[in-house]
Amino acid sequence: MLRRSDHDCFKNGACICVVTPHLLLTIANVRPHPTPLYSSASGAPNSSVTTPLPPCLPTHSTSTRTDRSFSATKMPYTILILAYRKPGTTPSQFKAYYEGRHVPLVRSLTGATFPLSHTRRYLQRSDGVQAESDSTRSPATVLVGTQADFDYDAVTELTFEDEAAFRRFMGVTQKPEIAAQIAADEEHFLDRTRVPIVVLGDIAVTRR
C-alpha cells in the first residue's frame, strides 16, 4: 500500500478525485488560464513568472511510502496534470511532440530539479482532428460515461522526493528565460487555456 498526505481540491483550478473503476476522474470548476504547464500551480493567469507559489499548496506531507525510490526520511510529493491537445492537432501528433520534444526540453532546462518520475498516460483515441469544442472527431474509447467526461488527452503525474524538491523545480521553471521557453514550446501541441493541476493525496494500491 502506498500512502501520501491527504489534500483538498486545487484552489481556482480543478477538483480531481480518484474514485471507482468505472469513473476514474471527476473534474469540476476548471477555469481557463494561459500559464505554462510547469510555471504555475495556482490555476490563475501568470502575470509574473516570479510570483510566489500560492498559499493553497500544502506546507507538509505525511506520506508513509517506503519503496526503494525514496529514503526513509523522504516524503514523496506528487502532482497531477490534465493535458489537452491544441485544437487542430491529432492525438498522434500531440503524443509525438510531448514525448519527442517537450519532455526532453523541460528535462534539459530543469536539470537536477527534474522530478523523480514524469509519467504520461494517454487516452486511447482514434486519430481524427479535434475541433475546438468537439471531441467526437477523435473519440476516446469510453467504457462508461460520455465523450464530454474525457475531453482531455493525457494524465500527467510528476513525483518529487518531497515538497521542497517540488518547490525547487517550480523555482527553476519560473525563471523568466526558462518560463518563456517552456511556454513557447507548449504552443506547438498544448491547449494552454486549460491546464488543471492538483496535488495528490493518499493513494492505496491493491495488487493481484
Side-chain angles (χ1 to χ4, degrees), residues 2-10 14-19 24-26 41 56-58 60-63 65 75-82 117 119 121 155-160 163 166 196-205:
L2 309 182
R3 297 192 62 82
R4 299 192 181 100
S5 59
D6 193 18
H7 299 301
D8 292 327
C9 67
F10 194 79
C15 296
I16 302 176
C17 305
V18 179
V19 289
L24 298 180
L25 296 173
T26 299
C56 60
L57 285 176
H60 69 283
S61 174
T62 57
S63 169
R65 180 171 176 171
M75 298 178 183
Y77 191 91
T78 301
I79 65 171
L80 197 71
I81 303 167
L82 297 185
S117 64
T119 305
R121 296 182 175 91
V155 179
T156 300
E157 182 177 307
L158 278 62
T159 299
F160 301 83
E163 185 183 352
F166 164 72
I197 305 173
V198 71
V199 177
L200 287 186
D202 289 351
I203 295 179
V205 177

Side-chain angles (χ1 to χ4, degrees), residues 187-203:
E187 292 288 353
H188 291 286
F189 76 108
L190 191 71
D191 182 352
R192 297 181 63 243
T193 66
R194 45 181 183 169
V195 189
I197 305 173
V198 71
V199 177
L200 287 186
D202 289 351
I203 295 179

